[in-house]
Amino acid sequence: MSFSKSFLLAHLGQHAVRTLLGVCVIVLTLLHVSGLWSLGFLNRLENFSYDLRLNMLMPRGVDTRIVIVDIDEKSLNEQGRWPWGRDKLAGMVTTLFDHYHVDTLGFDVVFAERDESSGLKKLQQIQQAYLNDNTVLAQAIEKLKPQLDYDQIFADSLTGRKVVLGYYFAQGQDTRPVGQLPPPVLTQTDFGSKTVLAESAQGYGANLHGLQQQALTAGHFNPQPDDDGITRRVAVLTRYQDGYYDALSVAVARMYLGQTALQPKFAKIGVSRRYSGLESFGLAGKVIPVDGQLSALIPYRGGQGSFSYVSATDVLSHKVSPELLRGKIVLVGTTAPGLMDLRATPIQSVYPGVEVHANLIAGILDNSIKARPAYMMGGEFVIVLLAGILLLVLLHQLNPIQATMTVSGMLAGLLGLGVLLWKFANLVLPLAASMVMIGLLYLLNMSYGFFVESRGKRQLARVFGQYVPPEIVREMAGEAESVNMVGENREMTVLFCDIRGFTTISEQMEPAQLGKMMGEFLTPLTQIIHQNRGTIDKYIGDAIMAFWGAPLADPQHARHALQAAMEMHAALRHISDGFAMKGWPALEMGFGLNTGAMVVGNMGSSFRVAYTVMGDAVNLGARLEGLTKMYGVDIVVSESLKQQVPEFAYRYLDTVRVKGKGKPVAIYEPLDEIKAGQLHDELTLFNEVMRHYRNRNWDLAEVQLLNLQKMSPHPLYAMYLQRITRYRLNPPDSEWDGVFNLEFK
């Protein structure tokens, strides 16, 4: 389609600003799509788009071809803690093949160290040290050796059977090779002169030599999470030195399909048939698509339980129906939280690692692994370019309803194309960049006229200049109809913060100095509140009251309030450092935050009104600030806020019943990632303390509190020790629910 020169000049002249901005949006999007300039938020949106399609279009149901023998809590309770003796594992292998007649067995476990649980080594040491001349003992030990060499017993059980062991590759500082690798599945010779990119390893943790020699092969189980920590891919091959080694799931599939080799398949371009990249591997008529790093997308078929699970202890006890296992692929792994083989996936935040392998095996067998070949980038580039030019020309000429229908149709068509390619061609079409570009062009054109033609509507927002930052005032200009000065009930979040010991501080300073100090402390904290979309309600002497969720509605009000409190707490340290240089006292503050229903609006008398919040939820926020000193923490938040912001880590403090209220409230201390990591063991132990405390097991709770104090003295632990002492002398009544009743406001 061609346009006349006069039409283009007139078009560009009339809409020069909008056209220029639209071109900038298109160019930025094209730069991202081509890989010349990566935009992080678009990558995150693309991951979200992929996850959404995955969750919507998963086949679901249970795949009975693959069975997981689970080293679960039941197995650990009945068979003993992990690791089990290799003689027990040998019994499991023998039972699976001889009794249940499984086809292929894969271990999502590495056996890198010798099993000395039989006592054979200790017996030999005693003989050499004290009874070296005792030939009878030496003969007895030699006779017992075959029965006590558990590693050899386990190795013998693997002989001649389709068993695939697991191992891992190491990177970073600790890269010392341990154990023996299996033979590489491919070498550089198999790729000819073509250059292949793959994850490279500097070391490994593999199985004992004797075990690897008897197993058919082994596969690595290195997790490969994306930047957001979600496991969407598995490295089909990992390079170590000159060899390429396959993943556990691929190795199991190869054994199941008859020990077939992987066949590299390279893309060809044009008649010259020049190499452009490795796109997939062939395996006994199956195709495993891979990306530029030789990773395959995991075709999750559903949440945990998409494959049959049997308890390992039931296998050892022959309690499993033989029909469930006969001729099947069996993976030995664990779902026990203490053994730490859990992953974050697009379908479930806590997902067993062994089931990740099962999904990829099933995908290989079904030819259902999704592909993102290089040419899809070209397709996305063309879509962005054509859609951008079309919208750049059309949107200027359409009224709002026509523009909305046009854009909605384009977005729906793009989504439909993505779904069709996913479902019927196993192709992943990138959607985020093109959809965001379409949305931005639409918003750009719609908002341009709105901001130019509706200045009068924005005057209402000026009233709020004393409460909120200019950024929110500008947003209110575009939403004047939604701003309500009359009192209304909303779910919001309130924050109270107060300087500890301010009376003492004020008595030590001259009034002028005190006023200057207040300005230097309130100004940066207020800026932080504004930066996080908060509204200042009032300054109460040395205290600040702020709220989130009004005058503009904010679905993320709890998250923004908590983020502001954390930043204010961090900023206070820098403020105190500056005060010290001036000879002023250091400041300590307590923060209380609560989320709940509040009344917000202009309230007051005929003499003076103020835009403020009221209600029980506001009062609770003030009381939480008062509890910070009692519990020895700087920030206290309620259960309702914690539920709104689950991505933060929290230390449970108590469940309290404030005076005048019947319903108890759980309270917590929010922690940043660094502190949460440092306190992981403490938090785990303290949760155990609280379990004993609520069950009135005073002795157990006290012992563990003393242990906690040794680990890290904290007023919280001392407070609970004092409380337990009081409860021993004056036990709570039979209806006590573990809630602490506050006798003050």
Side-chain angles (χ1 to χ4, degrees):
M1 181 178 181
S2 61
F3 298 90
S4 68
K5 183 177 180 180
S6 59
F7 174 83
L8 286 174
L9 289 174
H11 178 80
L12 293 174
Q14 185 181 358
H15 306 285
V17 176
R18 276 192 280 190
T19 301
L20 181 60
L21 292 174
V23 169
C24 290
V25 170
I26 296 170
V27 170
L28 284 175
T29 308
L30 291 174
L31 288 174
H32 171 80
V33 169
S34 62
L36 297 176
W37 186 16
S38 181
L39 299 173
F41 80 96
L42 286 180
N43 292 329
R44 291 190 290 272
L45 284 176
E46 190 57 57
N47 284 336
F48 174 77
S49 163
Y50 173 84
D51 296 346
L52 185 63
R53 280 174 280 176
L54 178 64
N55 280 276
M56 289 176 55
L57 302 173
M58 290 186 301
R60 294 182 171 83
V62 177
D63 188 336
T64 59
R65 297 170 299 178
I66 303 169
V67 180
I68 295 171
V69 173
D70 188 7
I71 305 170
D72 53 8
E73 293 291 349
K74 174 184 176 182
S75 300
L76 297 177
N77 290 334
E78 294 185 7
Q79 301 294 332
R81 66 180 184 181
W82 186 263
W84 293 342
R86 303 276 162 79
D87 59 329
K88 187 173 294 184
L89 294 175
M92 178 190 292
V93 172
T94 301
T95 299
L96 286 170
F97 280 97
D98 293 350
H99 179 73
Y100 290 109
H101 304 290
V102 303
D103 184 278
T104 304
L105 175 62
F107 277 93
D108 188 19
V109 184
V110 61
F111 305 103
E113 298 175 349
R114 293 194 60 81
D115 182 356
E116 297 175 352
S117 62
S118 68
L120 175 61
K121 182 178 180 180
K122 195 67 177 177
L123 197 59
Q124 291 173 331
Q125 289 174 346
I126 293 173
Q127 178 206 355
Q128 293 172 3
Y130 305 106
L131 301 169
N132 200 26
D133 297 331
N134 191 327
T135 57
V136 175
L137 179 59
Q139 292 173 357
I141 292 175
E142 193 64 27
K143 187 175 180 180
L144 286 171
K145 187 174 180 180
Q147 303 173 44
L148 298 179
D149 190 349
Y150 289 172
D151 287 318
Q152 188 58 50
I153 293 173
F154 185 39
D156 292 341
S157 71
L158 307 179
T159 305
R161 289 167 171 160
K162 293 168 70 173
V163 178
V164 181
L165 299 181
Y167 64 95
Y168 63 89
F169 281 112
Q171 295 181 350
Q173 295 180 351
D174 186 14
T175 56
R176 179 173 57 89
V178 176
Q180 181 185 353
L181 287 177
V185 67
L186 292 173
T187 64
Q188 184 58 50
T189 306
D190 297 300
F191 298 114
S193 60
K194 300 179 175 65
T195 302
V196 214
L197 298 177
E199 292 287 336
S200 295
Q202 284 76 50
Y204 57 84
N207 297 279
L208 295 172
H209 177 86
L211 300 180
Q212 187 58 63
Q213 287 293 101
Q214 298 304 319
L216 279 184
T217 187
H220 59 79
F221 45 68
N222 289 58
Q224 196 180 27
D226 291 332
D227 292 338
D228 56 2
I230 304 299
T231 300
R232 299 180 180 87
R233 302 173 296 130
V234 165
V236 172
L237 292 183
T238 297
R239 182 171 183 170
Y240 179 71
Q241 294 181 352
D242 295 329
Y244 293 84
Y245 298 83
D246 53 350
L248 176 64
S249 45
V250 179
V252 170
R254 286 197 304 110
M255 296 305 103
Y256 181 73
L257 295 172
Q259 304 185 45
T260 54
L262 292 175
Q263 302 294 328
K265 295 186 177 181
F266 293 89
K268 309 293 181 180
I269 296 179
V271 295
S272 62
R273 301 184 65 82
R274 295 177 60 190
Y275 161 70
S276 66
L278 179 61
E279 286 192 345
S280 64
F281 289 99
L283 178 64
K286 314 295 184 183
V287 177
I288 308 175
V290 294
D291 60 18
Q293 298 297 317
L294 303 192
S295 297
L297 292 168
I298 303 166
Y300 292 103
R301 63 179 296 110
Q304 181 179 353
S306 297
F307 301 87
S308 299
Y309 276 78
V310 296
S311 181
T313 188
D314 290 341
V315 171
L316 289 168
S317 305
H318 293 201
K319 294 180 180 179
V320 181
S321 170
E323 292 304 318
L324 184 61
L325 294 171
R326 182 176 287 112
K328 305 296 177 62
I329 297 173
V330 172
L331 299 178
V332 177
T334 179
T335 60
L339 298 184
M340 303 301 290
D341 187 28
L342 301 173
R343 314 276 176 84
T345 68
I347 54 173
Q348 212 167 294
S349 59
V350 179
Y351 194 82
V354 65
E355 199 161 340
V356 172
H357 305 309
N359 278 285
L360 191 55
I361 294 170
I364 293 172
L365 299 182
D366 294 335
N367 266 335
S368 62
I369 299 176
K370 307 303 175 189
R372 274 196 286 213
Y375 61 78
M376 294 304 290
M377 180 190 295
E380 184 185 20
F381 190 94
V382 171
I383 289 173
V384 168
L385 186 61
L386 292 179
I389 293 174
L390 185 63
L391 289 175
L392 206 61
V393 173
L394 287 180
L395 288 179
H396 297 162
Q397 307 171 52
L398 301 177
N399 62 43
I401 295 178
Q402 292 172 331
T404 301
M405 293 179 63
T406 300
V407 168
S408 299
M410 292 182 69
L411 292 175
L414 197 56
L415 280 172
L417 178 61
V419 169
L420 289 174
L421 290 175
W422 177 289
K423 194 166 183 64
F424 298 106
N426 282 335
L427 291 174
V428 180
L429 175 67
L431 295 175
S434 50
M435 296 187 73
V436 167
M437 182 206 67
I438 292 171
L440 285 176
L441 291 176
Y442 171 76
L443 292 175
L444 174 66
N445 281 272
M446 294 301 102
S447 61
Y448 182 84
F450 176 83
F451 283 111
V452 169
E453 299 167 5
S454 58
R455 290 190 181 94
K457 298 179 182 179
R458 299 196 295 270
Q459 294 181 0
L460 177 64
R462 296 175 186 172
V463 178
F464 292 91
Q466 58 182 313
Y467 304 113
V468 297
E471 294 81 13
I472 294 185
V473 172
R474 286 194 291 270
E475 287 187 35
M476 293 172 63
E479 300 180 29
E481 296 83 2
S482 66
V483 177
N484 186 10
M485 300 287 289
V486 181
E488 62 176 319
N489 201 357
R490 288 190 187 182
E491 182 184 82
M492 299 168 57
T493 298
V494 67
L495 174 148
F496 288 87
C497 62
D498 192 12
I499 297 177
R500 293 173 180 164
F502 182 74
T503 301
T504 303
I505 293 174
S506 62
E507 291 173 351
Q508 298 172 353
M509 301 182 70
E510 295 294 330
Q513 269 191 325
L514 183 61
K516 185 177 180 181
M517 185 192 77
M518 290 296 295
E520 292 190 22
F521 130 78
L522 289 173
T523 299
L525 297 190
T526 300
Q527 289 173 342
I528 292 174
I529 292 173
H530 283 176
Q531 289 165 3
N532 286 277
R533 304 182 66 81
T535 299
I536 297 293
D537 187 297
K538 59 180 70 72
Y539 301 115
I540 314 168
D542 60 306
I544 301 174
M545 176 182 173
F547 55 82
W548 279 258
L552 284 181
D554 181 7
Q556 305 295 320
H557 54 83
R559 180 173 291 102
H560 291 151
L562 182 54
Q563 187 65 43
M566 300 290 275
E567 292 177 13
M568 292 165 72
H569 180 258
L572 198 61
R573 291 195 293 269
H574 299 292
I575 295 171
S576 294
D577 291 341
F579 283 9
M581 296 175 65
K582 298 179 181 181
W584 296 349
L587 300 181
E588 292 183 5
M589 294 190 74
F591 296 80
L593 293 91
N594 182 41
T595 296
M598 308 172 192
V599 177
V600 60
N602 261 356
M603 302 178 195
S605 66
S606 58
F607 299 97
R608 186 176 185 274
V609 295
Y611 190 77
T612 187
V613 289
M614 300 176 64
D616 287 340
V618 179
N619 298 334
L620 178 59
R623 295 186 185 184
L624 294 183
E625 184 279 320
L627 294 179
T628 55
K629 192 171 183 180
M630 173 179 173
Y631 289 91
V633 298
D634 296 319
I635 305 176
V636 174
V637 303
S638 63
E639 173 76 21
S640 56
L641 185 142
K642 174 179 177 289
Q643 292 175 351
Q644 294 275 347
V645 196
E647 65 268 26
F648 271 77
Y650 298 87
R651 184 210 302 263
Y652 172 79
L653 298 175
D654 205 352
T655 301
V656 299
R657 186 179 289 110
V658 299
K659 190 172 183 179
K661 299 296 176 184
K663 186 176 180 180
V665 178
I667 59 176
Y668 300 83
E669 177 193 13
L671 306 170
D672 59 37
E673 289 185 6
I674 296 176
K675 190 173 182 181
Q678 294 171 344
L679 296 178
H680 178 269
D681 293 337
E682 281 190 53
L683 297 177
T684 302
L685 185 55
F686 184 67
N687 290 336
E688 186 71 12
V689 167
M690 297 313 299
R691 186 174 66 84
H692 294 313
Y693 172 81
R694 286 188 288 269
N695 292 331
R696 309 183 191 218
N697 295 328
W698 311 126
D699 293 338
L700 289 175
E702 184 178 57
V703 168
Q704 293 184 344
L705 281 168
L706 291 172
N707 289 333
L708 280 169
Q709 279 200 318
K710 291 178 182 178
M711 294 169 62
S712 176
H714 194 283
L716 178 67
Y717 308 146
M719 185 206 70
Y720 272 101
L721 285 170
Q722 293 174 1
R723 195 182 289 180
I724 287 172
T725 301
R726 292 199 303 271
Y727 282 153
R728 278 204 182 97
L729 296 174
N730 299 291
D733 57 40
S734 59
E735 296 181 0
W736 183 67
D737 53 2
V739 176
F740 185 76
N741 295 315
L742 296 172
E743 300 301 329
F744 55 88
K745 289 190 176 181

